[in-house]
Amino acid sequence: MNIVEVKNLKKSFGKNNVLKDVSFTVKKGETLVILGPSGSGKSTILRCINNLEKIDSGNIIINNNEMIKENKNGKLVYNNKKVLNNMNLDTGMVFQEFNLFPHFTVKENISKALKYVLKKNKNEIENIVNDILKKMDLNEKANSYPCELSGGQKQRVGIARCLALNPKVICMDEPTSSLDPELVGEVLNVIKKLAEEKKTMIIVTHEIKFAREVADRVIFMADGKIIEEGTALEVIQNPKQPRTKQFLKRYIN
Ligand code: ADP
Ligand code: MG
């Protein structure tokens, strides 16, 4: 069953055609890794899926909800607020720069949306947050502020905040790119665990070894197009397209 379906997605910023007819699907429980050079449109795809950017044409379907529909005059328009809201609840995002609320504690960062978006009661929130703090090994940091955390801890809070809302699909945009090298491993390990638990994820990363280990499928993008798509074995170990080969060369010693 497809949780995510991206159909003929096009997106420009002014004259810059950033996504040129991108189509792919993600099945329930699958980890999709998107690779590609800087500026190829990887973040824009994730931002479109999360409705943080408006799309120009095509469609994005999350858990059977369509972002774009035909209105009664046969014109393609954004779906109604209710559907878009459901789509927003079904998609979570983990950002490269963590995007934590600096004036909230770890616990508050994780619980705010549970209270104000999902309208959970106090008991439910307490249970969910405690479970997730334990899972992310953040118990001791529950009452700390982001400025008191290491980069790895901050990103684990970012992931915890996303998981708390239990989205159908989790998008991660270079989740380890702003970390010091010695902190990358702890975050990758958390993500690996999520992959083993069969969370549905779309991960943009430059960690090729990690990608090879966690990806059920890999997409290689360049210039706003999918150049190559397949299993990690196909795309990373045995790339067919010259652009993919060239890109991967610098990661293989
Ligand atoms: P990647 O994540 O693969 O590095 P991005 O999706 O961030 O690529 O960007 C793709 C292209 O879109 C780049 O040329 C970038 O400058 C442009 N771009 C991204 N976001 C915006 C924006 N908000 N306004 C204008 N141009 C943007
Ligand atoms: Mg990016």
Side-chain angles (χ1 to χ4, degrees):
M1 179 187 148
N2 288 333
I3 295 283
V4 179
E5 208 172 329
V6 173
K7 279 184 171 172
N8 305 107
L9 175 60
K10 291 186 187 167
K11 170 73 186 170
S12 303
F13 292 106
K15 281 188 204 146
N16 187 1
N17 297 324
V18 173
L19 298 177
K20 306 165 182 164
D21 202 0
V22 170
S23 299
F24 63 89
T25 59
V26 188
K27 288 197 179 66
K28 189 170 192 286
E30 213 174 29
T31 296
L32 172 73
V33 167
I34 303 180
L35 303 176
S38 178
S40 55
K42 305 180 300 296
S43 296
T44 304
I45 290 183
L46 297 189
R47 293 177 59 78
C48 288
I49 290 172
N50 280 269
N51 202 13
L52 298 168
E53 296 288 356
K54 288 271 169 266
I55 72 175
D56 295 338
S57 68
N59 210 345
I60 295 175
I61 301 153
I62 312 277
N63 195 31
N64 294 321
N65 286 313
E66 291 191 296
M67 190 174 275
I68 304 295
K69 61 159 192 196
E70 206 171 304
N71 72 8
K72 49 185 190 295
N73 304 323
K75 205 171 159 236
L76 294 173
V77 295
Y78 264 80
N79 216 325
N80 62 58
K81 268 204 179 122
K82 189 162 171 265
V83 171
L84 294 179
N85 191 36
N86 281 333
M87 294 182 75
N88 285 341
L89 292 175
D90 283 340
T91 49
M93 183 85 153
V94 173
F95 298 91
Q96 181 177 344
E97 303 291 345
F98 324 125
N99 295 18
L100 302 179
F101 301 112
H103 53 301
F104 289 151
T105 63
V106 166
K107 205 163 181 174
E108 288 165 346
N109 262 284
I110 300 170
S111 59
K112 286 290 170 190
L114 286 168
K115 182 169 177 192
Y116 294 105
V117 181
L118 296 190
K119 317 276 187 214
K120 301 270 187 200
N121 69 39
K122 226 174 155 185
N123 260 339
E124 288 175 301
I125 294 175
E126 193 68 20
N127 287 337
I128 294 172
V129 173
N130 286 339
D131 275 357
I132 287 189
L133 285 172
K134 210 187 291 167
K135 190 169 173 184
M136 293 290 128
D137 198 15
L138 288 165
N139 274 330
E140 262 122 68
K141 299 292 172 189
N143 298 311
S144 302
Y145 287 87
C147 65
E148 301 169 313
L149 304 178
S150 72
Q153 289 165 341
K154 280 184 209 168
Q155 191 56 298
R156 282 187 281 130
V157 177
I159 295 170
R161 183 177 58 179
C162 178
L163 284 176
L165 301 174
N166 199 21
K168 294 268 190 315
V169 56
I170 301 171
C171 298
M172 299 195 184
D173 194 0
E174 301 199 34
T176 60
S177 290
S178 25
L179 300 177
D180 292 331
E182 74 270 21
L183 301 177
V184 168
E186 66 183 74
V187 172
L188 294 184
N189 283 338
V190 164
I191 302 171
K192 251 184 231 171
K193 255 201 254 167
L194 299 178
E196 280 159 13
E197 289 170 17
K198 297 287 168 207
K199 292 268 184 250
T200 311
M201 296 191 280
I202 306 176
I203 306 172
V204 172
T205 185
H206 293 285
E207 297 287 338
I208 302 296
K209 183 169 166 281
F210 162 77
R212 210 165 48 200
E213 287 166 12
V214 299
D216 294 302
R217 250 159 4 94
V218 176
I219 282 175
F220 173 73
M221 283 192 68
D223 293 334
K225 282 182 288 209
I226 294 176
I227 305 293
E228 191 158 354
E229 184 177 355
T231 62
L233 187 67
E234 287 163 344
V235 178
I236 298 176
Q237 299 288 90
N238 303 292
K240 288 188 189 67
Q241 300 299 324
R243 289 294 300 266
T244 323
K245 286 183 190 172
Q246 188 201 350
F247 174 80
L248 288 168
K249 218 162 44 187
R250 87 181 87 134
Y251 293 97
I252 292 158
N253 309 314

